[in-house]
Amino acid sequence: MRSRIIIFDDNQERLNSVAMLLNLSAGFTCNGTFPNANNLVADISSSKPDLVLMDIDMPGLNGIDATKLVRKHFDALPVLIQTNFEEDERIFGSLRAGANGYILKKTSPERFLESLREVLDGGAPITGSIAAKVLKHFSAESQAKKDYHLTEREKHILGFLVKGYSYKLIASACGITYNTVNNHIRNIYDKLYVNSATEAVSLAIKERLV
Amino acid sequence: MRSRIIIFDDNQERLNSVAMLLNLSAGFTCNGTFPNANNLVADISSSKPDLVLMDIDMPGLNGIDATKLVRKHFDALPVLIQTNFEEDERIFGSLRAGANGYILKKTSPERFLESLREVLDGGAPITGSIAAKVLKHFSAESQAKKDYHLTEREKHILGFLVKGYSYKLIASACGITYNTVNNHIRNIYDKLYVNSATEAVSLAIKERLV
DNA sequence: ACGTGTATAGCAAGAATTTGCTATTGTGGT
DNA sequence: ACCACAATAGCAAATTCTTGCTATACACGT
């Protein structure tokens, strides 16, 4: 049983050549080629693909929004994003939209077919350079975090604040008095340069202090 | 010139076998094996590696914290994390700590050596299943967001709450009265099933309502 | 025409937070 | 010995938030 693939790409030439590649390859058939995603839901409904190959740059609905739409209407249908460029914003946009993989158009046909199989197999092919960007994104998050010199007790209490505990609840959770909680929270505010619980909570979550 | 590798792993057997594999492979030497990362800075300073292979489960300093320490003291020194399991939390912890790659211990020796080369080359090897988790994490962020049916006004005001504005400030920022702000916030609490500003702010940030 | 939902506005009581102070104890460093 | 700092605790005031009500006006769908 050959896997049914459909392609959205505004480049007609590429559309044809990829379709041909698929049809010539064992295990795949191309069951639809569309120059835009403006009728995406109808297109998918009629062609019943196992996998959608999506270009990012398309007139009308772009590949990222189209991917979101696929996720919305065809929850389990895998989408593999293809693009010419490695722009950070697009990569993360695509990943966030729920794409199952992200490969570059310059990828060799062998690697390309392998990626298709990987996606159909539940994997998530991403090229090395894109993986590097993703990892860098994660580590960048941790780099930026400043040190507010909170003590362990203060971090702990800040954690309770984030959970929405009242001073009274925090006191009993920590086994200390209301007044002591009050003091710890003042000190937290001083160190975080804020003067309300909501600001402290915002900062705590955004800077991953908890 | 062979690349210098050091290994941190509390499993002595594995430590030996990986060291042997490295020394037998063209292009690599193992220049240090350590059963824990408790003297990490000194160990690295003396062995001057080109790459650090890091186990996650170690007594004392764990692999994630050890990786953070490497990042802190040896900024450009690549770290490749190895682990038995594919636990989500650890993956993200490692990536966040600034690891350059994340591979499973069950990876074949060929793939393993390839990964080392990839890291030394500035790439970011991650196994397919891990990549899938990363991608799922990204898409989960957008998927998981439930709809709390907040109106535009409510979202807007929730945004001010997150910024730490008082009711009074929100009122003047929106050009409405204190009482109206009060009412909107009640409605927000009702819809979010919370009963304090801190809880609302936590939820808003975590669920990306703002 | 009638209900539903949104935005607006008010009053008021009670609870909670914020801030200004002071003060003791223990720990660790110089 | 002394100093800095963390954790503890207290009192009190001023402020802010939360919740209980009610109420008007507009838009939208049936």
Side-chain angles (χ1 to χ4, degrees), chain B residues 76-159:
Chain B
L77 178 58
V79 175
L80 184 56
I81 301 260
Q82 272 198 297
T83 187
N84 282 314
F85 307 105
E86 306 183 33
E87 291 174 46
D88 293 38
E89 200 180 323
R90 288 183 165 176
I91 294 173
F92 294 111
S94 312
L95 298 184
R96 237 186 275 289
N100 297 69
Y102 192 108
I103 61 176
L104 297 177
K105 285 188 178 175
K106 67 181 182 196
T107 304
S108 69
E110 295 76 27
R111 186 79 174 75
F112 168 68
L113 294 172
E114 194 189 310
S115 293
L116 290 181
R117 286 185 207 101
E118 207 174 330
V119 171
L120 289 165
D121 220 49
I126 55 182
T127 59
S129 55
I130 290 173
K133 278 201 166 57
V134 171
L135 263 59
K136 205 174 145 204
H137 172 79
F138 270 99
S139 65
E141 281 180 349
S142 65
Q143 291 305 331
K145 117 169 125 184
K146 304 175 202 102
D147 191 2
Y148 292 93
H149 303 292
L150 293 183
T151 67
E152 284 308 305
R153 196 49 144 179
E154 285 161 356
K155 283 180 197 165
H156 194 215
I157 287 178
L158 183 53

Side-chain angles (χ1 to χ4, degrees), chain A residues 4 6 31 43-50:
Chain A
R4 302 169 63 86
I6 64 170
N31 295 83
D43 294 342
I44 293 178
S45 297
S46 61
S47 56
K48 303 194 187 312
D50 298 310

Side-chain angles (χ1 to χ4, degrees), chain A residues 81 90-102 126 130 134, chain B residues 134-135 138-140 142:
Chain A
I81 301 259
R90 287 184 168 175
I91 294 173
F92 293 113
S94 309
L95 299 185
R96 234 186 274 287
N100 296 69
Y102 192 107
I126 54 181
I130 289 173
V134 172
Chain B
V134 171
L135 263 59
F138 270 99
S139 65
S142 65

Side-chain angles (χ1 to χ4, degrees), chain A residues 16-17 31 50 69 114 137-138 168 186 208:
Chain A
N16 294 338
S17 64
N31 295 83
D50 298 310
L69 213 55
E114 193 188 311
H137 173 78
F138 271 100
K168 219 184 284 183
R186 286 169 216 251
R208 295 179 184 282

Side-chain angles (χ1 to χ4, degrees), chain A residues 169-188:
Chain A
L169 269 176
I170 296 174
S172 75
C174 292
I176 56 182
T177 69
Y178 173 95
N179 285 316
T180 304
V181 172
N182 189 188
N183 274 312
H184 284 308
I185 290 178
R186 286 169 216 251
N187 293 332
I188 293 170

